[in-house]
Amino acid sequence: MNPGMHIESNRELLIENCRRIEEYNDVFMRLISGNLCIQIWGTNLKAYDFKTKGLIVRGKISQIEFIERSGRKNAKSAQRVHKD
């Protein structure tokens, strides 16, 4: 399933259909949702409510990047969406 997203200012991001958190700390998160790898940069990032196959990210979000995933690990294309 592809992700659905709702962004509230630069303080909260709701990602539906998040399958996996690959990397997580207070300044960077890498998530897998459908055929996308979603990378989030910011400060004081925290993840909430993962058990419902959705994820809420709170903190000061400065950049979100979407990378299309294919069958091969090295094939990817990036598209930047938001940068402060």
Side-chain angles (χ1 to χ4, degrees):
M1 296 183 75
N2 288 322
M5 292 186 206
H6 175 75
I7 300 171
E8 187 169 318
S9 184
N10 66 335
R11 298 293 181 176
E12 184 173 281
L13 172 64
L14 167 62
I15 304 167
E16 297 171 347
N17 302 317
C18 182
R19 284 193 313 191
R20 182 171 71 239
I21 300 172
E22 284 197 331
E23 189 173 341
Y24 172 20
N25 60 52
D26 66 336
V27 295
F28 177 75
M29 288 187 193
R30 180 180 300 123
L31 315 169
I32 301 299
S33 181
N35 67 339
L36 290 177
C37 173
I38 303 166
Q39 298 187 140
I40 304 163
W41 287 268
T43 54
N44 298 317
L45 299 178
K46 292 186 177 24
Y48 298 91
D49 205 22
F50 186 67
K51 64 185 174 192
T52 61
K53 297 221 180 211
L55 183 69
I56 298 171
V57 177
R58 291 187 181 127
K60 185 176 180 189
I61 299 167
S62 60
Q63 183 175 330
I64 302 168
E65 182 178 21
F66 300 100
I67 301 170
E68 288 187 38
R69 297 171 2 111
S70 67
R72 296 183 359 231
K73 284 201 176 251
N74 293 332
K76 59 184 176 181
S77 64
Q79 178 183 21
R80 288 188 194 227
V81 184
H82 174 62
K83 186 174 182 178
D84 273 348

